[in-house]
Every structure is written in structure tokens, then in C-alpha cells.
């Protein structure tokens, strides 16, 4: 059938051609012969460019929901009228996306009938979509007016040029569109040849320049960040070079904020990231080199966060081929920005800042001493930071962090020993990351990780054996993840995998299982690793010994060594001994027999016992029971006050029908829900 689009659920039977788009000799052609360069998502569908037949090659958008019936050409242009190559798409809401292309602006619901051109014959190009003031602003090209500021509501009538800033066919080239209070800030070139800061309320009359910075001499604006009542931006002035400026939205309140590198030399402030009430950015001065700065919008509050590499040497390498070396909003976790810096002592390591000098520090020396851990590909997913680093022992492996030193560790030694699995294309997909890696056996293949060793594994050996399939371009599109890979037979082709299949760490706990999120949360936290062989055994009753271990692990309380003297049936060396004895020491458990002292570690845990243990482990002393919460738990029931307390805390709602079923055994799946809820474990 030629080059067509396929999908796979990871089995041979489930690996099928989605649709034979071109049934004659010519095949579907994807721009530049690189399928992965043109994948983008359109709601729950995948969008790409293809050519179908004809002597003239005209690229048009196709869409797919992963089924043959749902794979169709979105729009067709006659050969010779130009390609309709989507350069970007923007979700407008209400099931409508905006598609920008060299032929103009389109609105689509993903069907041919629902795809219309906005302002045809007038608007010939669009980009830089920015929602603000109840509409979407963008930069549009009109042959009569050049590049100017436009806005749209997704209809042709509601798509209009805001004003003609440059006049005539000259272009003002609006850039850096940034919402600011009840206005939109942007840079543009007016009647003079210089770039100025402008603001608009969405009307022509309300679009004015903020020109108090030496009128006519601001010749470049690099970025704009709103901080509430003011906006900080980088601007180039003849007297100070590229420095940090500020505006309150008025001409009088627009000025140079700080000349970091005094004189006409530029400090070149770059990579702005907003953290709370400040913007953090990199800047260069002759005394400290390239370091991290912060500003709250005042001159006094524009400060060097830390001279990480003391003196004129720079700690930040902005010329690295890895984007991870440049601070990015994507690297913010828990209100802190993670970045890579070299202090001249520890090598290139992982640092973080909360936007204050006191909160800027080395987070972890991954390769202790002067060696560099060289962390890269910083990616936040599921409330965790993932990255690739070398600890000097295991090679460049996958690491993760929950923002604490104790929660920062190598996930798995994928290529055992000092070898490197060559991790590439680290991509956040929901609560986990996808990436390609070579474990030394299967070649470069598709892997996933949720941050736990048991949850880090090869998804599929697409090119069997040591031959690499080199998957890349992972694109989240509704219920599927699309990517490009080479199976060694057909070359690089598009593949897809159901997202539900990726999300499940355990074979017996699919993503639709009622306790899936809770089981995954405990796994990522290191509380559990399942019951073995890739399973969790969610329906299996949990024993009193297992409960002791899981409870303290979920609470984050490591026990001291056991003595073997507390219970006769928990001798020294018993696998759960330390946890059982710690719970007994705290008064959470007293065993199942006083004389002789027994714990009954192999007995199944009941729901009533679970209520007592969780309540006491949380340090709570419940009031007397009312006997009115559950029909099968009267006030005089031995565990009634603990059960009612658990219900009052929102940890349980019973077993249904107004009952609690106190004597039923607790399953491993149910216990995951109870533990994660009781101790506030973050859910994916």
C-alpha cells in the first residue's frame, strides 16, 4: 500500500494499517520525509500533512483518531494553489482549533465540513496566538497592510485587524504579546524604524505606544513578563545596551529598571521565569559573569540571586546544545526553579531557586566532588522532576526528584554498570515520562517511567533484538500517544500506543481500575513494589505483617532494628519485625494475644482493624462513637469510634448500602486507597 499510517497496541494482531489513503502507486508523503516533524494534536485527533496523487505535490492536512473511519483529509486545495501546511494550531475552546498556515487562518472542529477559512483573501498568514481580554490576539499578514496586530473569536466576522500601527503596507511586526491587567502588551515598530513597547485594549483607539524610554531609540524588546501591577521586560537602549526595563502601563511609568552591566555594554537578560511575585532571569555583568538574577519590578528589588561561580567566571552555560542548561518555566516544581550550574567546585550540578538569594542553592551534587553530574533534559511530570545524569558510577541514567534530597535518586540502572542507555526524547505524558533508551540488549527502544524502579520498563521492542527502532516525537493526542519509529523493515513510520496501556505499571492493574491512581502513587513513593512478576495482586487480602510495613512506609517513618523480643511469633530476623515492633512501641498495635504475646502476622487484616491502625498511626484520639454513621457499626462496637473518625476524616465512605462491613478482610487494592488518602500521598 505504500507509505501509510499505522497504529499498534503492542501486539502483532493489534498492529494494523489505519487507512490506505492512497490506493495507487504514489504513497502518502509527509513533509521533508520526516513524519515526526509534522505531528501535532487537534483535540483527541492527530494532525499531519500528506500528498495524495497528482503531478503537482500539494500538501494538505489529514486527521486521525486512530481508526480507519476517523482518518480523513481535513481540507483539499487544488494543485498549484499552494500548500496548506499547518504551521501551528491553537485550541480556541468549544471543540474548535485555530490552524495557522501560509495560506491564512482557519478554524476547524477536525472535520472537513467544520473547517473554514477566516477572512479569506485578506488575511494570508497568522501566528503568535495569545488569549487575552476575552479574545485571541495574533500577528497577521495582509498584503495591503503588512504584519499587524489582529484578534479573532473563531469566526470570519469576528476576525479583524486591531489597527494599522506602521501605516500602509509597512509592517509593525507585533511580537512578545503578553496579557497585562485589562490590556495586552507587545512590541512593535511604529512610524519610526525603532521597536517600541505598545499596549492595547483590543480597539484601535486604545492601542498606544509607551514611549517614555527616550522616544525613538528603543530598538529591540526581547521578552515581557507580567508581575501584576507592573511588567518587566528586556529592552535595548543606546545609553545602556540590552537591560531590564519596567512599565506600569503608562508612558510615565515605563523606564529603565536597572543597568546591570553599567555603561553601553549589555547584560543581555534572558530566559525569564516567573516565580511568585518575581521574574527570574539570566544576566551578565563584568564582576560576576553569567548568573541568575531576579526582579520584583523595582530597582531595589532587582538583584543578583547568587554569584554561584564567585568572581567574573560564569556559572551558567547558555551556549550548551541542551536546552536544559537554560532556565525554563517547564523546570518549575513546587514553586522552585531547577537549573544546571557550575560553581567551580562541584562541576555542573543540579541547583534550584525560589527567587530569593537565601533560597538559591546547590540542590544535589549528583557526582560527588569536582566531577560533573551533568544533568540534562529536565522534565516535570506527575509532580516529579525527571532528568538524565551521571553519578560517576552508573553512567548517564534516568533520575527523579520529588523536591527533597531523600526523594532524589537514580530511577533504574537501565544499562547496568558504567554504560549509558543514551536516553533521548524525554517527554512528559500525563503522570509519567516516555523516552528512548538502549539497555544493551534491545537497542534504542521505547521506555516509560513513573519515577519508581518497578514502573520503569521497556514498553515494546519495536525492532526485535539489538536493532534500534529509535522512537521519537512522542505526541499526546487524546487517548493515544503517537510517535515515529523504525522497525527495521518499513523505515520510519508513524506508530501509536493507547495511553491506558502506558499508564499501567502493573499488568493486573489497568488504568481504569478503581484503585489505580492510589496504587501508582504508593509505587512512585516507594511504599510498594507489587507482589512480584509485574503484578500488584489488588484483590488479594492483606496480612497484618504486610500492613505494618506499608503503613509506616506510607507515613514515611523508617523503623529501628528489631529486637525479636516483643512478640513470640515475630522472632529476630522476621522480615516485617522492625515495622511490627515500631507500631507496638508507638501503641498503635498490641497484638492478637497478651498471654502468650502474639501478633499473628499471617492473619488477614479486617476493615475494623484497619480503621484502628490508621487512626492511631495518624496520632488521633477519636471521641466516643454515636452509632449513627453506619448501620452495621453500633456505638458499642469495639472499633466504632475509630471507624466513625475515619469516615469523618473522609478516608472511608463504607462498603455500600450504609454499611462499613467491619469484619471483611481488606484487599491490597483497598489498602492502597486507605493509605494514600490517610497520609496525603500525591495522586497521579
Amino acid at each position: 500500500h505504500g507509505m501509510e499510517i499505522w497504529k499498534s497496541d503492542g501486539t502483532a494482531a493489534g498492529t494494523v494499517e489505519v487507512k490506505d489513503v492512497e490506493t495507487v502507486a504514489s504513497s502518502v508523503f509527509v513533509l521533508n520525509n520526516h513524519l515526526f516533524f509534522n505531528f501535532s494534536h487537534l483535540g483527541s485527533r492527530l494532525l499531519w500533512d500528506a500528498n495524495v496523487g497528482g503531478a503537482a505535490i500539494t500538501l494538505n492536512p489529514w486527521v486521525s483518531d486512530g481508526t480507519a473511519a476517523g482518518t480523513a483529509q481535513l481540507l483539499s486545495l487544488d494543485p498549484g494553489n499552494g500548500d496548506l501546511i499547518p504551521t501551528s494550531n491553537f485550541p480556541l475552546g468549544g471543540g474548535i482549533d485555530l490552524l495557522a498556515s501560509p495560506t491564512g487562518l482557519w478554524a476547524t472542529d477536525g472535520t472537513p465540513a467544520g473547517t473554514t477559512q477566516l477572512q479569506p483573501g485578506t488575511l494570508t498568514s497568522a501566528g503568535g496566538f495569545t488569549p487575552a481580554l476575552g479574545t485571541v490576539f495574533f500577528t497577521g499578514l495582509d498584503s495591503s497592510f503588512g504584519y499587524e496586530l489582529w484578534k479573532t473569536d473563531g469566526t470570519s466576522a469576528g476576525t479583524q485587524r486591531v489597527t494599522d500601527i506602521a501605516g500602509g503596507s509597512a509592517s509593525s511586526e507585533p511580537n512578545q504579546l503578553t496579557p497585562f491587567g485589562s490590556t495586552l502588551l507587545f512590541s512593535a515598530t511604529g512610524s519610526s524604524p525603532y521597536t517600541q513597547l505598545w499596549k492595547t485594549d483590543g480597539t484601535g483607539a486604545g492601542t498606544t505606544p509607551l514611549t517614555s524610554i527616550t522616544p525613538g531609540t528603543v530598538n529591540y524588546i526581547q521578552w515581557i513578563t507580567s508581575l501584576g501591577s507592573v511588567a518587566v521586560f528586556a529592552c535595548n537602549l543606546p545609553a545602556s545596551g540590552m537591560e531590564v526595563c519596567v512599565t506600569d502601563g503608562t508612558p510615565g511609568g515605563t523606564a529603565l529598571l536597572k543597568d546591570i552591566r553599567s555603561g553601553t555594554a549589555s547584560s543581555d537578560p534572558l530566559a525569564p521565569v516567573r516565580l511568585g511575585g518575581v521574574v527570574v532571569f539570566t544576566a551578565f555583568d563584568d564582576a560576576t559573569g553569567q548568573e541568575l538574577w531576579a526582579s520584583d519590578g523595582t530597582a531595589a528589588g532587582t538583584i543578583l540571586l547568587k554569584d554561584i561561580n564567585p568572581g567574573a567566571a560564569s556559572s551558567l552555560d547558555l551556549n550548551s546544545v541542551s536546552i536544559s542548561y537554560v532556565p525554563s518555566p517547564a523546570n518549575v516544581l513546587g514553586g522552585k526553579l531547577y537549573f544546571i550550574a557550575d560553581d567551580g567546585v562541584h562541576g555542573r550540578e543540579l541547583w534550584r531557586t525560589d527567587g530569593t538569594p537565601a533560597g538559591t542553592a546547590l540542590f544535589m551534587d549528583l557526582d560527588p566532588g569536582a566531577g560533573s553530574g551533568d544533568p540534562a533534559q529536565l522534565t516535570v511530570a506527575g509532580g516529579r522532576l525527571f532528568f538524565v545524569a551521571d553519578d560517576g558510577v552508573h553512567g548517564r541514567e534516568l533520575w527523579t526528584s520529588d523536591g527533597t534530597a531523600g526523594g532524589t535518586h537514580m530511577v533504574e540502572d537501565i544499562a547496568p554498570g558504567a554504560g549509558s542507555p543514551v536516553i533521548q526524547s524525554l517527554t512528559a505524558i500525563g503522570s509519567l515520562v516516555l523516552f528512548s533508551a538502549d539497555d544493551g540488549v534491545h537497542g534504542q527502544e521505547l521506555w516509560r517511567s513513573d519515577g519508581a524502579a518497578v514502573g520503569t520498563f521497556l514498553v515494546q521492542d519495536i525492532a526485535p533484538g539489538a536493532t534500534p527502532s529509535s522512537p521519537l516525537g512522542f505526541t499526546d493526542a487524546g487517548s493515544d500517544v503517537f510517535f515515529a519509529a523504525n522497525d527495521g523493515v518499513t523505515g520510519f513510520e508513524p506508530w501509536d500506543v493507547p495511553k491506558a496501556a502506558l499508564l499501567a505499571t502493573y499488568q493486573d492493574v489497568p488504568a481504569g481500575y478503581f484503585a489505580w491512581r492510589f496504587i501508582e502513587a504508593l509505587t512512585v513513593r516507594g511504599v510498594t513494589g507489587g507482589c512480584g512478576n509485574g503484578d500488584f495482586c489488588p484483590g488479594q487480602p492483606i496480612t497484618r505483617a504486610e500492613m505494618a510495613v506499608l503503613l509506616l512506609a506510607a507515613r514515611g517513618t523508617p523503623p529501628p532494628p528489631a529486637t525479636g523480643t516483643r512478640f513470640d511469633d515475630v522472632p529476630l530476623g522476621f522480615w516485617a519485625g522492625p515495622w511490627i515492633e515500631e507500631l507496638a512501641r508507638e501503641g498503635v498495635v498490641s497484638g492478637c494475644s497478651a498471654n502468650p504475646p502474639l501478633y499473628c502476622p499471617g492473619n488477614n487484616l479486617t476493615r475494623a482493624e484497619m480503621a484502628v491502625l490508621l487512626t492511631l498511626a495518624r496520632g488521633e484520639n477519636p471521641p466516643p462513637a454515636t452509632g449513627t454513621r453506619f448501620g452495621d457499626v453500633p456505638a458499642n462496637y469495639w472499633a466504632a469510634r475509630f471507624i466513625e473518625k475515619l469516615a469523618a476524616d473522609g478516608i472511608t465512605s463504607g462498603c455500600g448500602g450504609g454499611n462499613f462491613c467491619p469484619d471483611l478482610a481488606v484487599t491490597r487494592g483497598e489498602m492502597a486507597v486507605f493509605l494514600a488518602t490517610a497520609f496525603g500521598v500525591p495522586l497521579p
Side-chain angles (χ1 to χ4, degrees), residues 555 586-588 610-623 641-651 677-679:
R555 197 179 70 178
E586 294 180 11
V588 175
M610 176 273 304
V612 176
L613 295 175
L614 280 182
T615 304
L616 293 178
R618 281 159 53 91
E620 297 176 327
N621 183 23
R641 66 189 187 105
F642 301 95
I643 293 171
E644 290 189 6
K645 178 59 177 173
L646 217 59
D649 289 344
I651 298 172
T677 306
F679 296 109

Side-chain angles (χ1 to χ4, degrees), residues 14-28:
T15 302
V16 296
E17 183 181 65
V18 175
K19 187 169 186 176
D20 186 8
V21 177
E22 177 56 85
T23 58
V24 295
S26 61
S27 300
V28 173

Side-chain angles (χ1 to χ4, degrees), residues 345-621:
V345 176
H346 300 93
R348 290 179 298 278
E349 296 293 351
L350 189 62
W351 287 65
R352 73 177 180 186
T353 182
D354 61 3
T356 68
T360 304
L362 174 68
F363 176 64
M364 181 165 286
D365 189 5
L366 302 166
D367 184 359
S372 292
D374 261 334
Q377 299 189 60
L378 273 60
T379 304
V380 173
R384 304 184 69 83
L385 176 71
F386 291 84
F387 56 95
V388 180
D390 186 347
D391 63 1
V393 176
H394 299 93
R396 295 189 62 73
E397 295 285 352
L398 183 67
W399 285 64
T400 189
S401 176
D402 62 1
T404 67
T408 303
H409 55 86
M410 185 178 72
V411 177
E412 179 79 345
D413 192 5
I414 295 173
S420 171
V422 194
I423 294 173
Q424 298 174 337
S425 302
L426 196 63
T427 305
I429 301 292
S431 60
L432 50 83
V433 289
L434 293 186
F435 56 96
S436 71
D438 184 351
D439 61 2
V441 177
H442 301 92
Q444 201 79 19
E445 294 293 348
L446 175 62
W447 285 67
R448 59 89 81 180
S449 177
D450 59 8
V454 68
T456 303
F457 50 79
L458 174 70
V459 176
Q460 182 172 329
D461 189 6
I462 296 172
T467 303
S469 71
S470 303
L472 71 167
F474 305 117
T475 303
D476 188 348
S479 61
D480 295 271
V481 174
F482 290 81
F483 60 97
N486 184 352
D487 62 4
V489 177
T490 61
F492 271 100
E493 295 286 354
W495 291 65
D496 88 26
V497 59
K499 197 185 301 181
L502 289 172
L503 293 176
T505 295
Y506 303 101
Q507 299 175 30
D508 57 352
V509 185
Y513 186 69
F514 82 96
W516 171 79
R517 297 175 67 216
F518 304 91
I519 293 170
E520 291 288 328
L522 294 183
T523 300
V524 171
R525 188 156 171 163
V527 175
T528 179
C531 61
N533 299 319
D535 290 332
F536 184 78
C537 306
Q540 179 178 301
I542 194 164
T543 67
R544 288 166 56 85
E546 291 173 324
M547 174 279 306
V549 176
L550 292 174
L551 190 152
L552 288 180
R555 197 179 70 178
T557 309
T563 66
T565 60
R566 182 63 180 82
F567 298 105
D568 289 354
D569 54 356
V570 183
L572 188 64
F574 184 71
W575 66 274
W579 292 269
I580 293 172
E581 288 192 10
E582 174 61 19
L583 288 180
R585 187 191 65 79
E586 294 180 11
V588 175
V589 298
S590 57
C592 61
S593 168
N595 190 20
L598 300 175
Y599 181 73
C600 304
N603 286 6
N604 291 336
L605 184 74
T606 68
R607 290 171 59 87
E609 291 172 326
M610 176 273 304
V612 176
L613 295 175
L614 280 182
T615 304
L616 293 178
R618 281 159 53 91
E620 297 176 327
N621 183 23

